[in-house]
Amino acid sequence: MVELKQEPQKLTALLSGELDHHHAKEIREKIDFAVREQYPPVVVLDFGHVTFMDSSGIGLIMGRSRLMEEYGGTLEIHNPSQQIRKVLRISGADRLAVIRNHVHAAAANGKEPEHEYAE
Amino acid sequence: MNTLNELKCTFPARSENESFARTMVCAFAAQLDPTVEELADLRTAVSEAVTNCIVHAYRGSDAGTVTVTVRLLPDGVIYVRIADKGCGIADIPQAMTPLYSSAPAEERAGLGFTVMQSFTDRLTVTSKPDRGTTVTMRKKLTHGTDEAAGGRS
C-alpha cells in the first residue's frame, strides 16, 4: 500500500505492508502519476512500515530512479528494515538512491535526518 | 534423502498467492526455531521463486499451478521445491544472470535468482521448454541443529 504526501519540493511515498510483485504495480502507478503531476526535485520512498520486500521492491526503486534521472530529481530511501537493507545490498540498489534511517515523516520536512545509514 | 517432515501444496499461479506461499513455508520452518534473519532470508527466497512461476511460467495464460514442497531434513536443513508446468527456461545461465529479465516491461529487476542464491545455501534449477521449471533450495537453520533439538526435548 502507499500513501502519498505532496509538498512543494518533495513527494513522499509512505509505503506499508508487503512489497511484492502482487502489490508493486499499484504502488508504482500511484507514485508515477504523482511524480508526473509536479516533477518534484526530491522523491522519498519511506519503507518504515514495510514488513516484507523482495526484488519487486528493487524493480520499484530502479524504475523510479530512471524516472527521476529523466528530469534530474533525487531519489531517497528512508527507514529500510534489516531485511530490506539486505535485499538492497545484494542488488546494488543502495547505490541508486540516498538511504536515510530514522527519519520521521512528519519531522523530516526541511530538517536534517538524525543520521545517515552507512555500511 | 531422509525426510523428517513434509508439506506439499498446489495452488493457482495467481499473484495474490505469493504472500500465502512464503508465509506457508516459513510457518513450516518455524518448528526448527530459526532466527528472525534466517526466516526472513527463507521468506524472501521463496517469494522470488514463486513470483518467477507467476510472472514467467504461465505468461499469457491464467490457468496454471505452482506446487511447493517443503521438507525438514536432518541437521536442521529446510528443503524447498517450487515447481511449475509452464513455458520452461531455454537458457538457464542467461536467466540466472544478475539484472537479466525477460519481462523488463513489468519492471522486474532481474534479481530473483540472485536473491535465491544469496539467501539460501544451495540452489538448483532444472527446466525443459514447454514442460516447466523446478527450483530447489536448501537452507540450514542454525537453531535447528540436532544438539539444539536434543537440548529442548
Side-chain angles (χ1 to χ4, degrees):
Chain A
M1 280 185 298
V2 61
E3 192 186 311
L4 295 167
K5 201 173 109 192
Q6 284 173 304
E7 294 164 81
Q9 298 296 309
K10 187 164 83 175
L11 172 72
T12 303
L14 295 159
L15 307 165
S16 60
E18 300 195 310
L19 209 179
D20 61 6
H21 158 254
H22 179 64
H23 293 103
K25 189 178 176 215
E26 188 191 338
I27 293 170
R28 170 173 97 218
E29 285 170 356
K30 284 184 173 168
I31 294 173
D32 286 6
F33 185 80
V35 168
R36 294 201 161 98
E37 258 184 349
Q38 59 168 149
Y39 291 99
V42 177
V43 171
V44 173
L45 302 178
D46 192 327
F47 287 85
H49 292 98
V50 176
T51 54
F52 170 81
M53 185 187 93
D54 63 16
S55 72
S56 308
I58 302 302
L60 183 81
I61 292 167
M62 286 165 64
R64 304 299 69 66
S65 171
R66 271 197 295 272
L67 175 62
M68 311 245 359
E69 265 174 28
E70 284 175 19
Y71 68 92
T74 308
L75 184 65
E76 293 188 9
I77 293 171
H78 287 188
N79 306 317
S81 68
Q82 199 186 348
Q83 185 259 336
I84 293 173
R85 285 204 301 269
K86 203 168 169 182
V87 179
L88 290 175
R89 212 157 45 227
I90 67 150
S91 68
D94 49 352
R95 291 192 293 270
L96 293 176
V98 180
I99 300 181
R100 297 180 200 277
N101 262 1
H102 307 297
V103 185
H104 300 291
N109 185 19
K111 291 182 190 168
E112 284 300 303
E114 288 168 32
H115 69 261
E116 252 176 64
Y117 167 69
E119 194 142 313
Chain B
M1 191 155 54
N2 186 8
T3 301
L4 303 174
N5 200 355
E6 185 180 74
L7 170 75
K8 195 169 178 179
C9 180
T10 299
F11 51 87
R14 299 176 57 89
S15 64
E16 52 265 56
N17 287 330
E18 290 158 8
S19 174
F20 160 74
R22 59 183 181 254
T23 302
M24 175 185 75
V25 172
C26 286
F28 182 86
Q31 62 191 296
L32 288 172
D33 193 20
T35 64
V36 171
E37 189 178 3
E38 286 168 346
L39 213 51
D41 287 356
L42 188 64
R43 184 183 297 271
T44 314
V46 170
S47 190
E48 299 294 349
V50 172
T51 301
N52 272 354
C53 300
I54 290 164
V55 173
H56 300 287
Y58 302 109
R59 201 175 312 158
S61 156
D62 55 3
T65 56
V66 180
T67 298
V68 176
T69 309
V70 200
R71 291 186 182 134
L72 175 56
L73 304 182
D75 300 321
V77 174
I78 282 283
Y79 165 95
V80 190
R81 183 177 181 274
I82 293 156
D84 66 64
K85 293 178 178 163
C87 63
I89 304 170
D91 186 342
I92 294 175
Q94 181 191 47
M96 294 180 77
T97 303
L99 301 175
Y100 171 81
S101 177
S102 60
E106 291 170 56
E107 220 165 66
R108 306 302 308 157
L111 291 165
F113 283 120
T114 308
V115 169
M116 287 180 238
Q117 240 158 0
S118 306
F119 286 13
T120 63
D121 301 326
R122 195 168 141 199
L123 169 72
T124 68
V125 183
T126 52
S127 190
K128 264 192 184 157
D130 301 325
R131 296 290 293 277
T133 301
T134 297
V135 165
T136 73
M137 296 180 283
R138 283 163 203 253
K139 187 171 178 65
K140 186 173 170 69
L141 305 178
T142 53
H143 276 211
T145 57
D146 282 345
E147 304 83 68
R152 276 202 304 275
S153 58

